[in-house]
């Protein structure tokens, strides 16, 4: 088999189609769904709702699956999710040390770095160092909690709501939530046009 992963996947797909094990249209539809229709915008809507509605936030932290399903998200690779909340004293970081488990329904497909051996091992051994490489320099008094995803449990970080967004609508809030902040390799972005605190 070729060494390039893309070619290897293509070869594998051809083989499966040839053997009648999968239908190419089904594979294409699945890839299109997770590349274009399911992605971090879903997670951003969940985060924005939690920022805007304290009751929803409470439900999300207590039973993420049910609260996420309220917004219509769920399914493959996200059957059991746990939401962990960042605070001024706690920063959460998500990794899958074993492979690349990731909450597809709310974040889409994992980025390449998330699947890399370097991230998978170093996120656990040296989370602060990894965060610094992502441009996040955490003060010493902020505790870092690392969550190891598995096929059974996948984590989503609820970032802190940025200051000076009190008057914002849920839609405006959703627009500033980034994928990286929901994996924990970024903090909440400062609102556009605002000074940093
Ligand atoms: Fe995994």
């Amino acid at each position: 088999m070729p060494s390039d992963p893309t070619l290897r996947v293509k070869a594998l797909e051809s083989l499966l189609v040839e053997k009648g094990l999968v239908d190419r249209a089904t594979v294409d539809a699945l890839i299109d769904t997770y590349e274009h229709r399911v992605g971090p915008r879903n997670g951003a809507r969940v985060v924005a709702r939690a920022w805007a509605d304290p009751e929803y936030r409470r439900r999300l932290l207590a039973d993420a699956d049910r609260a996420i399903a309220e917004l219509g998200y769920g399914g493959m690779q996200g059957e059991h999710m746990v939401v962990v909340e960042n605070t001024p004293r706690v920063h959460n970081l998500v990794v899958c040390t074993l492979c690349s488990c990731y909450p597809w329904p709310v974040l889409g497909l994992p980025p390449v770095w998330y699947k890399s051996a370097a991230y998978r091992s170093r996120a656990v051994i040296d989370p602060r160092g990894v965060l610094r490489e992502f441009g996040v320099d955490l003060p010493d008094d902020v505790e870092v909690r690392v969550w190891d995803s598995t096929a059974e449990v996948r984590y989503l970080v609820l970032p802190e709501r940025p200051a000076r967004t009190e008057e914002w609508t849920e839609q405006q809030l959703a627009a500033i939530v980034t994928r990286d902040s929901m994996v924990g390799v970024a903090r909440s972005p400062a609102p556009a046009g605002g000074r940093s605190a």
Side-chain angles (χ1 to χ4, degrees), residues 14-91:
S14 302
L15 194 66
L16 291 169
V17 170
E18 197 179 301
K19 301 266 179 202
L21 294 174
V22 299
D23 163 49
R24 198 180 296 272
T26 307
V27 174
D28 289 345
L30 200 66
I31 291 171
D32 178 66
T33 297
Y34 285 95
E35 273 191 345
H36 304 291
R37 280 180 283 150
V38 177
R41 294 340 302 159
N42 293 359
R45 282 184 209 109
V46 170
V47 167
R49 172 69 55 89
W51 284 347
D53 178 351
E55 257 314 294
Y56 182 78
R57 173 182 156 272
R58 194 192 54 73
R59 291 201 297 281
L60 183 66
L61 295 172
D63 184 346
D65 294 332
R66 190 176 292 193
I68 289 168
E70 281 179 42
L71 300 192
Y73 310 131
M76 210 168 91
Q77 306 287 311
E79 290 85 354
H80 185 39
M81 285 186 274
V82 169
V83 172
V84 288
E85 184 182 36
N86 283 352
T87 71
R89 290 279 163 271
V90 175
H91 183 87

Side-chain angles (χ1 to χ4, degrees), residues 111-169:
V112 171
W113 56 259
Y114 185 85
K115 299 185 271 188
S116 72
Y119 179 77
R120 284 160 40 211
S121 57
R122 292 195 47 236
V124 175
I125 301 165
D126 179 23
R128 283 174 192 276
V130 168
L131 285 167
R132 266 193 302 274
E133 282 165 33
F134 276 95
V136 179
D137 212 348
L138 287 177
D140 288 342
D141 63 347
V142 174
E143 179 194 343
V144 181
R145 293 184 189 157
V146 180
W147 301 89
D148 194 356
S149 302
T150 64
E152 282 77 40
V153 185
R154 290 145 203 267
Y155 299 92
L156 182 75
V157 175
L158 174 58
E160 282 184 85
R161 180 173 177 162
R164 297 179 310 281
T165 57
E166 295 78 10
E167 309 296 320
W168 289 30
T169 65

Side-chain angles (χ1 to χ4, degrees), residues 96 98-101:
C96 174
L98 203 61
C99 42
S100 57
C101 298

